[in-house]
Amino acid sequence: MKLNIALLAGDGIGPEVIDQAVKVCNAVATKFDHTINWTPALTGAAAIDAVGEPYPDETHAICEAADAVLFGAIGHPRFDNDPSAKVRPEQGLLKMRQKLGLFANVRPTFTFPSLIDKSPLKQERIEGTDLIFLRELTGGIYFGKRGREDNGNTAYDTCTYTRAEVQRLAKKGFEMAMKRSKKLCCVDKANVLESSRLWRETVQAMESDYPEVKVSYEFVDAVAMRLVQWPNSYDVLITENLFGDILTDEASVISGSMGLMPSASLGTKTSLYEPIHGSYPQAAGKDIANPLATVLSAAMLFEDLDLKEEAEVIRSAVNTSLAKGIVTEDLADGGKAYKTSEVGDWLAACI
């Protein structure tokens, strides 16, 4: 099979972890007789430095023409520390989501048997956790009307959703639940927010189309609490943009390291796969970043292209590396810490 994949390394540790995912994917291609054409493209601070724009038109054209996009990270401290900056790397991420129609962010959270003691939560609370958040990605407060009034002393951000946007995401959630435990939780704040009431009534109206799925409705603050108390009580959760952004980062610590969790952003055109961590500029260029989240994101990419055996080979290699202690310093726990590139080499050789 011939695959065309856009490669957006981005900023910080992005290029380093992307390099390891490419090694792994190329090993899979060799093993299963596939051909991968990689097309690099600029985004984030790297693109601003090169062309003054965080998501250039050329990058968008490359992404649109690809079968999938493998993405590293966006962000640089010189922009974080400058509130007056007119162009920011993160604007490229929002623009990319809009232009590619990346409306559904899929974030799994699961535990690794060999790392169960790395979690800040008690083993008996997290054992067996295997949940998926489906976060709406192109609507809500991040894309609503915003501004300043009263000589800049009053600021506002507007959360806006259409019924169609909610239906589109909820449909994905119901379909995912049907393939898993047939449990779906709609996360909102319907006791306070009108946008959440739209979410709840829209999902309720769709229940009859999926009679086998047991649907629950919970307020976001209750879910935030239960995620650290009984995370294994959840299966598929759907929610709006801001709530999803916060809750998925909270859920990521269950596994013991943010450097372990992959994600996918499903679109109307091309889908994108990326680790959930940021650009971690303090580690950039040091060859110490954990590449496993990016590698597992590549596994999600293969699975969504209906190459399930290839995806499973990647996951198996990752589990073996964890069991054997072939890990970077964030997971070494006093043992030998391997470099980012060494972990990538080991995984590729294992495959």
Side-chain angles (χ1 to χ4, degrees), residues 8 55 71 92-100 102 272:
L8 276 58
Y55 184 63
F71 176 66
L93 194 55
L94 297 179
K95 186 177 179 182
M96 178 165 57
R97 289 170 181 170
Q98 276 191 315
K99 292 188 74 173
L100 289 176
L102 303 175
L272 177 145

Side-chain angles (χ1 to χ4, degrees), residues 259-313:
L260 292 169
M261 291 292 105
S263 76
S265 295
L266 309 180
T268 54
K269 299 174 183 176
T270 308
S271 293
L272 177 145
Y273 301 84
E274 63 176 312
I276 70 164
H277 59 68
S279 60
Y280 192 16
Q282 302 90 330
K286 296 180 180 178
D287 205 18
I288 60 172
N290 189 342
L292 295 184
T294 313
V295 170
L296 289 170
S297 297
M300 293 181 75
L301 184 158
F302 278 110
E303 184 157 15
D304 286 350
L305 292 175
D306 207 28
L307 299 172
K308 300 186 188 305
E309 189 178 353
E310 288 85 337
E312 192 50 45
V313 162

Side-chain angles (χ1 to χ4, degrees), residues 36-291:
I36 302 178
N37 293 325
W38 301 100
T39 308
L42 289 170
T43 190
I48 294 174
D49 291 343
V51 299
E53 160 66 47
Y55 184 63
D57 290 342
E58 183 181 352
T59 296
H60 179 63
I62 289 170
C63 291
E64 268 198 316
D67 297 311
V69 180
L70 189 59
F71 176 66
I74 269 184
H76 195 285
R78 79 171 184 271
F79 296 95
D80 299 338
N81 298 328
D82 182 7
S84 64
K86 300 299 182 187
V87 181
R88 297 178 175 277
E90 292 77 12
Q91 290 170 342
L93 194 55
L94 297 179
K95 186 177 179 182
M96 178 165 57
R97 289 170 181 170
Q98 276 191 315
K99 292 188 74 173
L100 289 176
L102 303 175
F103 67 91
N105 182 228
V106 182
R107 278 206 190 182
T109 295
F110 45 86
T111 54
F112 299 86
S114 59
L115 296 179
I116 201 83
D117 61 334
K118 302 283 186 189
S119 175
L121 303 182
K122 293 178 180 178
Q123 179 175 339
E124 61 267 26
R125 292 197 180 277
I126 64 170
E127 213 156 27
T129 296
D130 181 11
L131 60 86
I132 291 183
F133 268 100
L134 206 56
R135 166 192 168 194
E136 201 288 323
L137 210 53
T138 57
I141 201 166
Y142 291 166
F143 292 92
K145 186 178 179 183
R146 67 192 57 178
R148 293 282 186 106
E149 296 175 340
D150 188 25
N151 294 321
N153 294 310
T154 301
Y156 61 90
D157 298 275
T158 309
C159 180
T160 304
Y161 271 106
T162 66
R163 193 177 302 276
E165 286 175 318
V166 180
Q167 288 171 331
R168 181 170 64 174
L169 186 89
K171 184 175 184 290
K172 288 278 187 190
F174 275 110
E175 291 170 350
M176 201 168 284
M178 284 294 293
K179 295 176 182 176
R180 290 170 55 91
S181 300
K182 298 181 180 178
K183 285 170 53 182
L184 181 71
C185 178
C186 177
V187 184
D188 60 35
K189 193 63 178 169
N191 57 336
V192 176
L193 302 177
E194 192 62 38
S195 56
S196 282
R197 286 190 273 273
L198 174 67
W199 268 79
R200 187 169 290 211
E201 69 182 46
T202 302
V203 175
Q204 286 174 336
M206 297 174 70
E207 284 188 39
S208 59
D209 296 331
Y210 304 90
E212 295 178 64
V213 178
K214 182 180 179 182
V215 185
S216 61
Y217 299 86
E218 293 187 34
F219 297 144
V220 60
D221 41 349
V223 173
M225 180 179 66
R226 286 187 60 189
L227 269 179
V228 296
Q229 289 181 314
W230 310 288
N232 54 16
S233 66
Y234 290 115
D235 188 44
V236 178
L237 303 96
I238 58 172
T239 193
E240 60 94 67
N241 208 339
L242 176 61
F243 296 162
D245 193 2
I246 296 167
L247 290 175
T248 52
D249 276 4
E250 181 192 7
S252 72
V253 304
I254 292 171
S255 69
S257 172
M258 224 180 182
L260 292 169
M261 291 292 105
S263 76
S265 295
L266 309 180
T268 54
K269 299 174 183 176
T270 308
S271 293
L272 177 145
Y273 301 84
E274 63 176 312
I276 70 164
H277 59 68
S279 60
Y280 192 16
Q282 302 90 330
K286 296 180 180 178
D287 205 18
I288 60 172
N290 189 342

